[in-house]
Amino acid sequence: MKRSTAAVAALGVVLGAGAVVLPQATAAAQGCRVDYTVTSQWQGGFQAGVKITNLGDPVNGWSLGITFPSTSQRVTQGWNATWSQSGSTATATNIDWNRSLATGGSTEIGFVGSWSGGNPTPTSFTLNGVACTGSTGPTTTTTTTTTTAPPVPRNPVEANGQLRVCGVNLCNQHNRPIQLRGMSTHGIQWFGKCYNNASLDALAADWKADLFRIAMYVQEQGYETNPTGFTNQVNSLVDLAEARGLYALIDFHTLTPGDPNHNLARAKTFFASVAARNAAKKNVIYEIANEPNGVSWAGIKSYAEQVIPVIRAADPDAVIIVGTRAWSSLGVSEGSNETEVVDNPVNATNIMYAFHFYAASHKDNYRATVSRAASRLPLFVTEFGTVSATGGGAFDRASTTAWLDLLDQLKISYANWTYSDADESSGAFRPGTCNGGTYTGSGVLTESGALIKSRISTPDDFPTS
Ligand code: IDC
């Protein structure tokens, strides 16, 4: 509005019982500009920065009205102002330190909004009730609005960054709980031919997996026969995963003998090397003993407390997973349960505990254990099968579905045994697949592979703030 002494002088009127509004000598010049920037957006939400510039006379106290295209956009959390919303219009009111805006002065506020579609850019702004048109005149220019293209994460590692354990959850770089879903290799000493650019492309793009577990057996023609060769093989598989934004779980696949202390010296050598080599990467998780068996929890804990410091010395911030008693069943398969861990946890931070199951062998009492333990311990299902504990036998769709529903509900991450063409029912690919170059589509899958792919490939919902 232009200054108009004559018009406002007429406002000196008597209101009821003697209340008088005094005439003002002049009306304040009013005008404002808003620079609005959507800094990120994701399914269901967005974040915006709002720079308010006062183009009129100085103000001491202000209120900014932001009108969205519809009621689908809602401010859920804001900063540098007091925020509220009614219908499609949100209101930001100054707080103490940004109350005054000189002529030409500006202040920056911002908010996180939820939306169910539409456009996150408002249709208009008002400052103290006056439309922000970018000038002091009411209609001379249009609102300046800039919207930058949102950086949509391209892959799981870009979305989640360096992981950490928070409470009983696996959390991402925004400290929000996430679930990673993916596949385990078979023994890389036997099935190395299955892990190459084509199969990792399929895992990332066709399966839409988040996680690739690298099962490096220690015995059975594994690491102990050629430490340098297996260390190099693991590192190159970490790189194949990293190139596609997949998390890589380095599994020191102890199995027989079941006491991990048998391999303590090897574990220290191996982890010192891979942790130093991969310390700068965000996509690496360490699993220090696949399936302890025939050994007490005290023995496993002692092993963990010697291996974890070796990893931490080289790679201080990575998540480390500790196998549990009785083939990583939290003790259940040897008649115990999770209380031995809850009562006597590994003395280390940023760690999780492994739980493994084979759906045809391990059912309700194992699921009950996981349901109970999940509120006490950070759990990670680093390996499971859809079949019996032998890795073969009948495929159990019903039990697998019950398990995966439970893991989804509890946000427990998992890797399925196996991303291979092994001639056993747990293999995801039909025998012979790894001799060809094609890993995509349904023709190459077994029954187990088809079910697991259908579960893994549903969209992730990683929190982005
Ligand atoms: C199995 C393989 C099989 C191999 C056997 C011994 O599927 O081809 O002959 O190991 O090395 C586990 C183990 C995992 C087993 C799997 C199925 O971690 O190494 O793989 N299993 O028996 N724990 C429970 C089941």
Side-chain angles (χ1 to χ4, degrees), residues 34 37 135 151 155 157 161 173 209 221 227 252-253 256 275 289 318 336 342 369 396 407 413 423 447-448:
V34 170
T37 308
S135 79
N155 59 54
V157 175
Q173 60 192 344
Q221 296 88 52
F252 193 67
H253 201 86
T256 310
S336 185
V342 172
T369 300
D396 193 331
L407 300 185
S413 300
D423 193 4
E447 242 186 327
S448 180

Side-chain angles (χ1 to χ4, degrees), residues 36-94:
Y36 180 87
T37 308
V38 175
T39 49
S40 64
Q41 67 186 50
W42 56 94
Q43 200 185 352
F46 62 101
Q47 180 173 325
V50 185
K51 182 180 177 188
I52 308 164
T53 304
N54 176 27
L55 300 176
D57 286 346
V59 297
N60 187 25
W62 50 264
S63 169
L64 183 79
I66 301 176
T67 300
F68 294 111
S70 75
T71 53
S72 134
Q73 297 83 10
R74 302 207 69 81
V75 173
T76 52
Q77 194 197 348
W79 49 92
N80 293 352
T82 303
W83 293 82
S84 63
Q85 185 164 349
S86 167
S88 62
T89 299
T91 302
T93 306
N94 69 270

Side-chain angles (χ1 to χ4, degrees), residues 68 111 179 214 224 232 248 334 351 369 399 437 444 463:
F68 294 111
F111 67 94
Q179 178 197 36
I214 302 163
E224 67 179 2
N232 292 341
E334 288 174 0
I351 62 161
T369 300
S399 176
V444 292

Side-chain angles (χ1 to χ4, degrees), residues 186-187 189-191 213 215 217 220 251 253-256 290-291 327 356-358 362 383-385 387-392 417-418 422-424 426-427:
H186 201 295
Q189 78 275 39
W190 299 313
F191 288 89
R213 179 188 192 233
Y217 275 71
E220 301 185 59
D251 162 32
H253 201 86
T254 59
L255 184 59
T256 310
N290 166 52
E291 291 190 348
W327 298 276
H356 292 180
F357 65 86
Y358 278 72
H362 309 127
E383 180 186 311
F384 78 95
V387 298
S388 85
T390 62
W417 185 266
T418 57
D423 193 4
E424 50 191 16
S426 52

Side-chain angles (χ1 to χ4, degrees), residues 219 233 259 289 345 368 385 397:
Q219 276 73 44
Q233 189 182 0
D259 183 349
R397 179 183 300 277

Side-chain angles (χ1 to χ4, degrees), residues 72-142:
S72 134
Q73 297 83 10
R74 302 207 69 81
V75 173
T76 52
Q77 194 197 348
W79 49 92
N80 293 352
T82 303
W83 293 82
S84 63
Q85 185 164 349
S86 167
S88 62
T89 299
T91 302
T93 306
N94 69 270
I95 49 180
D96 216 37
W97 60 262
N98 60 11
R99 154 183 308 276
S100 304
L101 288 178
T103 302
S106 62
T107 191
E108 291 184 33
I109 63 177
F111 67 94
V112 170
S114 63
W115 60 333
S116 50
N119 186 334
T121 302
T123 52
S124 63
F125 302 92
T126 58
L127 188 67
N128 291 347
V130 175
C132 292
T133 59
S135 79
T136 50
T139 54
T140 49
T141 61
T142 52

